Amino acid sequence: MDRAGLADFLRRRREALRPEDVGLAAGARRRTPGLRREEVAALAAMSNDYYTRLEQQRGPQPSEQMLASLARALRLTGDERDYLFRIAGHNAPARASAATHVVPALLRVLDRLSDTPALILSNLGETLVQNRMADALFGDRSGYTGLARSEVYRWFTDPSERLRYPEDDRDRHSRAQVANLRVAYGTMGEQSRAGELVRALRKASAEFAELWDRHEVSKRFEDHKTLIHPELGPIEVDCQVLFTEDQSQALLVLTAPPRTEGYEKLRLLAVLGQERFTEPSPYELP
């Protein structure tokens, strides 16, 4: 671990950013350039003391998970992320895991979307980052680990995942999930994380196995869909998707036309956040 190199790299990347680069308000005039240490710490979901010690060459060796959070917070490119890992004494992320590093260009767009649900997904259906409105609509998806990080896996193994969709739309969504995974499987190969997902799901779900054998291949994101919110009920939204150049990540934005019921419900959702007033279903996420 190159403590001096790590400290200097973090400080210079922090100073090169502005609040508006990461979706923060500029606020009052600043005495020092760039972001404050506490702002980087908050973006990386770590304590201010821990981050400060890293910049002062006093901290312990960061874990790979912590470095991935720092790379995202500092809006590092793929090359910069690999450099960060190496000077911190780790190997650069393998190609298979590197796909979870959010592309800075997508983050810049997400940072500017505060009044409508938006989230960034990997090609395996993993939620990499989501804004406050997406938290309110879907719940916080950041706590999942292992195969359950993939929405595809949860859809076929966790009944609570289906409560967000009307019953008469669930078959279509099942087909869409499998068709999306087919695209990733074709790109990544049998021995990849996509292949691991397929093998696990074929054992866990007869429905998945039957749909997989159909060999439907497509990146499917319906332009118009209905989502069920536990407090507000059905919300009709339009879905727009922005893919990265290599198609490995997608920014999903949900909106509703002005003066529609869906539009008014999204406005109310912005006020409610994740506040709950009714008892959850036994299958519902807490």
Side-chain angles (χ1 to χ4, degrees), residues 208-274:
F208 174 87
E210 189 274 326
L211 291 174
W212 184 256
D213 289 340
R214 295 186 188 184
H215 287 267
E216 294 181 338
V217 185
S218 175
K219 284 186 176 293
R220 294 185 175 182
F221 293 93
E222 286 292 301
D223 292 335
H224 187 83
K225 65 175 65 178
T226 299
L227 297 171
I228 309 297
H229 186 268
E231 302 297 333
L232 302 179
I235 305 177
E236 291 191 43
V237 294
D238 293 319
C239 177
Q240 300 295 325
V241 183
L242 176 63
F243 288 101
T244 55
E245 185 176 356
D246 63 1
Q247 303 283 298
S248 66
Q249 295 178 9
L251 171 63
L252 190 65
V253 183
L254 303 173
T255 62
R259 297 177 297 279
T260 63
E261 184 180 6
Y263 179 81
E264 294 303 323
K265 285 187 175 182
L266 286 181
R267 291 182 64 187
L268 184 55
L269 185 67
V271 177
L272 287 177
Q274 291 188 356

Side-chain angles (χ1 to χ4, degrees), residues 65 72 126-130 135 138-150 154 274 285-286:
Q65 181 179 3
R72 182 178 303 170
E126 301 156 328
T127 299
L128 304 180
V129 62
Q130 59 191 100
D135 282 347
F138 295 108
D140 183 4
R141 297 179 170 185
S142 64
Y144 293 108
T145 59
L147 294 177
R149 292 186 60 218
S150 169
R154 298 195 307 273
Q274 291 188 356
L285 291 174

Side-chain angles (χ1 to χ4, degrees), residues 52-102:
T52 298
R53 283 187 289 149
L54 289 178
E55 279 204 12
Q56 293 177 344
Q57 305 181 38
R58 298 187 296 111
Q61 183 183 32
S63 66
E64 292 185 358
Q65 181 179 3
M66 198 68 79
L67 291 171
S69 295
L70 279 170
R72 182 178 303 170
L74 294 169
R75 305 306 194 253
L76 300 186
T77 65
D79 290 340
E80 289 170 336
R81 177 210 58 223
D82 290 352
Y83 177 77
L84 173 66
F85 271 70
R86 291 186 182 107
I87 60 175
H90 293 280
N91 293 325
R95 188 184 184 106
S97 61
T100 61
H101 173 68
V102 182

